[in-house]
Amino acid sequence: MTRETMFNSAALAALALVPLWAHYSGEPFTVTLATRAVILALAAVGLHIALGLGGLVSLGHAVFFGIGGYAMGILAHHAQTYTPLMEWPFVIEGTKSMPVIWLVAVVLSSVVAYFIGLLSLRTSGVYFIMITLAFGQMFFFFAISWSAYGGEDGLSIYVRNGFPGLNTLVPIQFYALCFVILAAVMFFAARLQRSPFGLALNAARQVPDRVETVGLNPMRLRLVAFVLSGAITGLAGALFADLNRFVSPTMFSWQMSGELIIFIILGGLGRLYGPVVGAVVFVALEHILGDLSDYWHIYLGVLLLGVVLFARGGIIGMLLGREVAHD
């Protein structure tokens, strides 16, 4: 067993045990903080598939995060107001069922990711970054102008949606649900990374010309990765909206896309657990330093600068040294 495998196992165990300790110690706010970290980690794992494996630096991944959030908000809003989402040519009702909402969020995010990917992947480098940013801003300003669902003020949901067999209003139960989803997606991402598709995607990131010579289409590989990435990020958006019981256009903002990239860089670019470690560190800093100063992002910037200059492997690379296993 490599040091990175042991570190990953310890990190996952800590994510499971710390909220349990907080629950039995009567600290529900700590459980909520852990839930936020897990959901943001899930979104960053989605971006990791595009960025860490495919080398696609997307500044528009908040599009999928926001689509997942608004899928939850709109369906739950129509369920709590007892008004149909659509009446013609057939009636579509709202719902408070999490599995249904997740399915809608994943499907919508995948479809949008497919069409954005078809256009964006015709470019590369800084042009790809800018076109994904442009799509993000388009969705952001559309959400602001969407007065039917709160516009700039956002949309509040009064009661958290339900999952069979669980009381999702109990913090530890909702956390357990989010943790299981993160663990399942991490398992999927690990298998994907080692699969023939993952190896081909990694090769397309490094030497696309050689990939073409063996009959593979680098753009098609990147498009599949981009769609998978969007689907996972959309699922995280639905969970995030359920955690807050609120959706707003800020879920589409470029700052949200930037934060996802920060998670990956902080934890370790290219490392499977990098997004998880980065998200946990970010949420911890947000909570601890946010109580000390409204300008806590200054300290985050100093930390990020230090990681970029002196710990190119992120926090995981700094702790584990030069070992390069990706488990």
Side-chain angles (χ1 to χ4, degrees):
M1 181 181 289
T2 65
R3 284 179 294 165
E4 186 159 349
T5 301
M6 291 189 290
F7 177 86
N8 294 344
S9 300
L12 203 61
L15 271 179
L17 295 176
V18 170
L20 278 177
W21 167 83
H23 171 69
Y24 288 110
S25 299
E27 298 285 345
F29 181 69
T30 302
V31 179
T32 301
L33 276 181
T35 307
R36 175 180 169 84
V38 163
I39 293 172
L40 291 176
L42 178 63
V45 169
L47 178 58
H48 164 77
I49 293 175
L51 175 57
L53 300 184
L56 303 173
V57 183
S58 171
L59 259 183
H61 246 60
V63 167
F64 316 121
F65 194 71
I67 286 174
Y70 269 83
M72 172 272 175
I74 291 171
L75 289 172
H77 169 75
H78 284 277
Q80 72 183 15
T81 57
Y82 302 101
T83 57
L85 181 63
M86 188 172 72
E87 296 182 339
W88 188 91
F90 45 82
V91 176
I92 298 180
E93 302 284 352
T95 180
K96 294 182 180 179
S97 170
M98 282 188 181
V100 175
I101 290 170
W102 297 345
L103 178 62
V104 172
V106 167
V107 170
L108 287 178
S109 299
S110 300
V111 171
V112 173
Y114 176 77
F115 286 106
I116 290 179
L118 277 180
L119 295 173
S120 303
L121 290 170
R122 298 176 184 273
T123 64
S124 61
V126 68
Y127 300 103
F128 178 81
I129 296 173
M130 294 310 296
I131 197 170
T132 54
L133 174 61
F135 275 112
Q137 291 301 96
M138 287 167 55
F139 277 84
F140 173 72
F141 285 108
F142 174 77
I144 285 179
S145 65
W146 205 1
S147 58
Y149 297 109
E152 190 173 5
D153 296 327
L155 183 65
S156 295
I157 304 302
Y158 304 133
V159 179
R160 184 168 293 153
N161 296 300
F163 188 87
L166 294 178
N167 181 357
T168 56
L169 287 173
V170 177
I172 193 64
Q173 294 193 31
F174 185 58
Y175 173 81
L177 183 61
C178 296
F179 177 80
V180 168
I181 292 173
L182 175 63
V185 170
M186 295 292 289
F187 177 76
F188 168 77
R191 295 296 298 269
L192 182 72
Q193 188 166 307
R194 295 187 179 91
S195 69
F197 170 79
L199 297 175
L201 179 64
N202 189 41
R205 174 176 61 87
Q206 299 182 59
V207 281
D209 292 339
R210 293 186 181 182
V211 171
E212 284 190 271
T213 62
V214 297
L216 297 176
N217 187 331
M219 180 176 174
R220 188 173 299 170
L221 292 170
R222 295 187 186 110
L223 180 59
V224 173
F226 197 74
V227 171
L228 288 173
S229 178
I232 294 171
T233 306
L235 174 59
L239 288 169
F240 191 77
D242 240 326
L243 170 67
N244 299 315
R245 283 176 275 176
F246 177 75
V247 292
S248 74
T250 56
M251 294 186 72
F252 288 109
S253 69
W254 67 267
Q255 290 94 333
M256 186 72 243
S257 297
E259 286 182 4
L260 297 182
I261 295 176
I262 288 173
F263 301 159
I264 295 174
I265 294 174
L266 277 180
L269 181 62
R271 296 176 184 267
L272 180 61
Y273 276 70
V276 178
V277 173
V280 171
V281 169
F282 181 91
V283 171
L285 289 175
E286 183 182 43
H287 174 60
I288 297 170
L289 299 179
D291 288 340
L292 301 178
S293 171
D294 291 335
Y295 307 104
W296 68 272
H297 288 88
I298 296 174
Y299 306 106
L300 174 66
V302 172
L303 174 62
L304 187 62
L305 185 62
V307 168
V308 171
L309 292 178
F310 306 109
R312 299 295 292 274
I315 293 173
I316 296 178
M318 183 174 60
L319 294 175
L320 301 182
R322 296 186 178 182
E323 188 178 53
V324 293
H326 300 291
D327 294 304

